[in-house]
Amino acid sequence: MDAKKIINIAVIAHVDAGKSTLVDGLLNQAGVFRDNQEIDAQVMDSNDQEKERGITIYSKNCAIEYKGIKINIVDTPGHADFSSEVERIMKTVDTVILLVDSSEGPMPQTRFVTQKALELGLHPILMINKIDKKDQRAEEVVDEVLELFMELDADESQMNFPVLYGIAKEGIAQYDMTTPSKDLSPLLETIVTQVGSYDTDLSANPTRMQVSSLAYDPFIGRLGIGRLFEGKAKAGQSVSVIRNDGTQYNGKITKVFVYQGLNRVEVEEASAGDIVVIAGLPEISIGDTVGELNNVKAMDPIKIEEPTMSMNFLVNTSPFAGRVGKFVTSRNIKERLEKELEVNVGLRVEPLVNSDVEGFKVLGRGELHLSVLIEQMRREGFELGISSPEVIFHKNPQTGEIMEPMEKVIINVPTEYSGTVINKLNLRKGMMLDMDSDGVRDKVTYNVPLRALIGFRSEFTNDTHGEGILVQSSNGFEPYKGAIESRQNGVMISMANGVTVAYALSGLEPRGTLFVGPQTEVYEGMIVGQHSRSNDLDVNPTTGKKLTNTRSSGTDESTKLSPWKKMTLEEALEFIEWDELVEVTPDDIRLRKKWLTINDRKRHRNDQKKAIEEL
């Protein structure tokens, strides 16, 4: 297809603003789906975890045609932990559709993705979504976005952005609030007008492409995905590749693919302006520049924000290790993490030194970023021991001062709960930036150390009875804020191996919250509940009732237990302290102490004091 008839766009927004739903509408209007085809909602969210969590995790490509123009569409994640997925694809597109909720307005992640787009000189198209909401305030939101652009130092041409209004789930976009529309044609017309045609035929120039994403095919190996900025990419073409570090090597493109609808279609050659997929270069990596053989000019490296949090991925050493997992050794874990590094640019992996257990330190953009990887590995058959999350501190090169990552937190809670939440954020060294109330709900903005938010989300949910909304995004680094109190409660630790019985658990119920039910296998050192007090408590959940040959009235009734708390992976990671681990297997998620026996834990009390002092 002629390069003058190709436009590349990305849909960017905060989480839950309707990005994937809008892409569904564009695909539907373009006739990608058959009339009798059964279509899942958010069809681009094809990964199992994306469907279960209801969020976009990985950037994905598709393409439609409109009036003879091919429009490549990139659906991007909205959660701050996956912002590296957004950063790297910005250079492949001509413009972005900035989607903003008509009620919520610009949220923290909206600021981040907009800033990246403006820095690259893109001219966003603003679409105010969900205008059918009862509490919509579309016109105010437009003004808020304009203020955001001013804060981000947008130039005059970027400030003059087109505005549309719509309902993505109904496939509707309109030019203003009073002129109804039947489909997304106003949005498509705006895209064509905003981007226009290429000024020159870049296909005549030498080949030049930058890889922004990677994929893997079991038959043809690693695939490089990116925009073809100049020239043509042909099957069988010999090329030179310049890595991010400046080194160069030669290779051959064996296959070329482009996108049509949701499918990847093989072609003999692709022209400048298109988003292409190339095979045949097994060492290709994100940020690499692919060009004419011995005649390639490197493009600017793709810069990715540094990780802010780390966890240790350890070999599972519990008594139940190897029962259900297929991959349990250090070598298995190493190979899997190396494979993940090829496609997950926001991740870093370091081998552990001076550790009692073999494993790796994995650095990522947040708890969700790392927990998605852990969950994926669990489903693939891995067994792991995961340590508590730790934030990554930096040292100011000028002053030598310790700097810690901060988060901008926006909470929206019913007024009766706001006092409790504000008090807890204050205790966590948070600084209130703004507060607004309509008499029913309060909207509070805070600047909080990232380490203070570890474990806070579950507390927040309980304190607001599930009615609160909390969103957060990275807010740079600030000087270390001092010690922050950690978990207030101790845990109940099994001191025996065996199977839990209801009789023993009924005796433990008054002591705290149970994490296991009856007929559950436990081992010495496994955490079976949260203690109601601050100290750890060694218990025996396997003790049965002593039987006698004497029966008395009322003593043989069946034991009734309250529902026990079954921890999710995220809840478990937030809950554990420095001397505890999450045991992750394909079938179970368990909590345990690093040192399983009482004597071992006593021997490491000095380590505990030292760790608390360091924290």
Side-chain angles (χ1 to χ4, degrees), residues 34 59 77 96 106 137 201 217 243 248 380 466 512 533 569:
R34 302 187 309 272
S59 296
V96 294
R137 49 186 190 91
D201 185 4
D217 186 285
R243 299 185 180 96
Q248 180 175 324
E380 292 171 6
R533 298 186 179 182
L569 177 59

Side-chain angles (χ1 to χ4, degrees), residues 18-185:
K19 297 179 300 300
S20 299
T21 306
L22 178 62
V23 175
D24 285 356
L26 290 168
L27 289 167
N28 190 49
Q29 183 163 330
V32 171
F33 308 117
R34 302 187 309 272
D35 291 340
N36 63 342
Q37 185 173 347
E38 188 174 330
I39 307 163
D40 292 332
Q42 292 84 46
V43 68
M44 294 289 283
D45 291 343
S46 53
N47 180 274
D48 287 343
Q49 288 198 64
E50 290 179 318
K51 292 177 181 177
E52 292 169 15
R53 296 172 185 265
I55 60 173
T56 301
I57 296 174
Y58 306 104
S59 296
K60 287 175 285 294
N61 301 68
C62 63
I64 62 173
E65 272 202 31
Y66 179 72
K67 294 186 176 179
I69 299 171
K70 180 181 180 182
I71 302 177
N72 285 310
I73 305 170
V74 186
D75 184 20
T76 65
H79 200 285
D81 283 20
F82 307 108
S83 52
S84 59
E85 291 279 328
V86 182
E87 292 174 74
R88 71 185 188 209
I89 60 90
M90 285 290 191
K91 292 179 71 173
T92 69
V93 299
D94 303 299
T95 191
V96 294
I97 300 172
L98 176 60
L99 213 58
V100 181
D101 188 289
S102 66
S103 172
E104 293 177 347
M107 299 297 278
Q109 184 66 358
T110 311
R111 183 187 186 91
F112 177 86
V113 294
T114 305
Q115 182 176 7
K116 295 298 177 184
L118 295 176
E119 286 175 357
L120 290 171
L122 299 179
H123 293 74
I125 297 169
L126 174 63
M127 179 167 167
I128 307 299
N129 192 26
K130 304 181 183 180
I131 59 172
D132 56 335
K133 277 188 170 183
K134 291 182 179 179
D135 58 346
Q136 68 86 13
R137 49 186 190 91
E139 300 300 338
E140 290 180 41
V141 169
V142 173
D143 291 338
E144 290 176 5
V145 174
L146 185 61
E147 291 175 8
L148 175 62
F149 274 53
M150 293 172 66
E151 291 176 18
L152 296 176
D153 295 325
D155 61 37
E156 189 174 340
S157 59
Q158 290 173 324
M159 295 281 286
N160 190 26
F161 52 82
V163 182
L164 294 107
Y165 306 84
I167 309 170
K169 68 179 180 181
E170 296 180 12
I172 293 173
Q174 52 197 56
Y175 291 109
D176 55 57
M177 291 292 290
T178 58
T179 308
S181 171
K182 295 180 180 179
D183 55 24
L184 292 169
S185 296

